Amino acid sequence: MKKLLLLITVFLSLETFSQDYNPNLYYRKLSYKIDKPIDAYLFGNNVRIRNEPSTTSSELTKLPINSKITILEKTELTYSINGFNANWVKISYNGLEGYILDNFISLASEINEHSSLLISLKRKKGGTYVVLRYYDFATKEFNESEYRIKHGNVSFSFCENINLKNIDHVFKVDYHSEACGMEGGKDLIFIQESNIIETIQLSEASDSGVVWIKQDIEFPNAKNKLDNKTIIFHEESGELIDGSSNWYEKKITERRHRLINNIFTPELKSKL
C-alpha cells in the first residue's frame, strides 16, 4: 500500500531576470499558506534544527532524511540555496520546535512498504532540475537522481494505481502553458528502486482552439484488461476548418507499448 503526501499541491513559479547564472537572481514561490499545521517529510539529511530562523542561530538537533515533521509557520525570511531563495519555516518534531529552510522539505512524497521517494529542486547553469531521492527503509540509505525540467511553470504529483510490474513510482511533472511561449504537457518519470529507468514526455498545446494536440498514457486497470507490462499511448490532434459551420477535423492515435528490459517497446520517443 502506498501513502502519498504532496506539500499542499505544490505549484512552482520560477522567474529569471538574467541569462547568466546567479543564485540571487532566481527565486522559488511555493503556493502554500500555513493556516493550520501541515505534515511533511524531510528531503535533506542531517538537517539542523535552529532555535531561530538564522544560519547563525544555535542548533537544537539534527534530523535524518525522511523524518516526518509538522510545519507550523512560514516566515518571510529567506536564504539562498541551490539557486533559490528558500523560506525559513517553523516546524515541530516529537514535541521539539525550531526552524529549518523549506528547501530541505520534500515538495512531494510517495511511500510504499519498503521505500520512500522524496522530491526537491535545484537550479544550476544547465537549467532547473527535479532532484529525486530514493530512501530505502531496510538499509536507511538513499540514492539521488536528477531530471531536467523544460521550464518552471509546473506542478508535481504521482501517478497512482499504475499496476506495472517492477515499477515502484511514476512521478509526474505537469507543465502549465498559460504564459506566452511556454510549452504545456507533462513528463512521466518511471522509477525502479533507486533508478530512473524510463521517461515519457507528453505534449499538450492549443492555439485558441484552432489547432490542438493532447497526448496521454493509460495504465493497466480492470476496464482495459492490460497486463502488468503494457501501457496505451493516446494522442488527439485536430484543427478548425470552418468556424461558421463548426467544421473540425481531428485525428485519434492509439498505440500499445510493452515494458521489456526496462524499456517501452516500441520506443516512446520524447516527441511523439
Side-chain angles (χ1 to χ4, degrees), residues 7-225:
L7 182 53
I8 312 14
T9 300
V10 173
F11 183 82
L12 169 72
S13 175
L14 296 177
E15 293 193 5
T16 305
F17 300 96
S18 169
Q19 292 184 349
D20 297 324
Y21 175 69
N22 183 333
N24 297 320
L25 298 183
Y26 301 91
Y27 72 94
R28 178 180 62 173
K29 182 180 180 182
L30 297 179
S31 62
Y32 69 90
K33 295 181 180 179
I34 309 301
D35 297 323
K36 59 181 180 180
I38 298 170
D39 289 335
Y41 290 87
L42 286 185
F43 174 86
N45 191 33
N46 294 324
V47 177
R48 292 181 175 88
I49 310 301
R50 304 281 187 178
N51 189 48
E52 299 292 339
S54 169
T55 57
T56 60
S57 177
S58 59
E59 178 185 313
L60 300 177
T61 190
K62 288 182 181 178
L63 296 182
I65 186 173
N66 202 57
S67 295
K68 187 176 181 179
I69 62 168
T70 301
I71 306 173
L72 303 174
E73 176 187 333
K74 176 185 175 184
T75 77
E76 296 303 315
L77 300 174
T78 62
Y79 184 82
S80 180
I81 184 171
N82 287 334
F84 300 107
N85 285 339
N87 285 82
W88 284 97
V89 292
K90 186 176 184 180
I91 64 114
S92 173
Y93 176 78
N94 288 344
L96 177 68
E97 294 185 2
Y99 293 86
I100 64 172
L101 292 166
D102 64 7
N103 186 270
F104 296 125
I105 301 173
S106 184
L107 297 176
S109 307
E110 187 175 58
I111 301 169
N112 59 28
E113 293 83 358
H114 54 81
S115 65
S116 182
L117 187 67
L118 307 165
I119 309 297
S120 189
L121 291 163
K122 180 185 293 185
R123 185 67 171 84
K124 52 187 181 181
K125 285 185 178 181
T128 301
Y129 292 78
V130 172
V131 185
L132 305 100
R133 284 185 173 176
Y134 177 93
Y135 177 75
D136 188 285
F137 294 154
T139 64
K140 298 187 183 301
E141 296 180 349
F142 67 89
N143 292 311
E144 182 174 298
S145 302
E146 295 182 359
Y147 180 80
R148 183 177 180 179
I149 57 178
K150 291 181 286 191
H151 60 72
N153 198 17
V154 299
S155 58
F156 303 135
S157 61
F158 290 91
C159 297
E160 298 185 72
N161 302 317
I162 56 174
N163 300 317
L164 286 173
K165 187 176 181 180
N166 298 327
I167 300 297
D168 295 310
H169 309 272
V170 178
F171 179 62
K172 181 168 64 173
V173 181
D174 279 297
Y175 297 96
H176 304 275
S177 57
E178 290 88 350
C180 180
M182 285 190 174
E183 184 179 353
K186 56 191 172 187
D187 294 347
L188 301 182
I189 305 170
F190 292 75
I191 299 166
Q192 182 187 81
E193 295 185 346
S194 59
N195 301 311
I196 296 176
I197 65 164
E198 184 70 288
T199 60
I200 300 175
Q201 297 180 353
L202 302 169
S203 295
E204 182 172 349
S206 175
D207 185 3
S208 303
V210 178
V211 294
W212 73 90
I213 183 172
K214 184 176 181 179
Q215 300 173 338
D216 208 352
I217 293 294
E218 182 179 350
F219 294 104
N221 58 54
K223 185 177 180 180
N224 60 34
K225 297 182 180 180

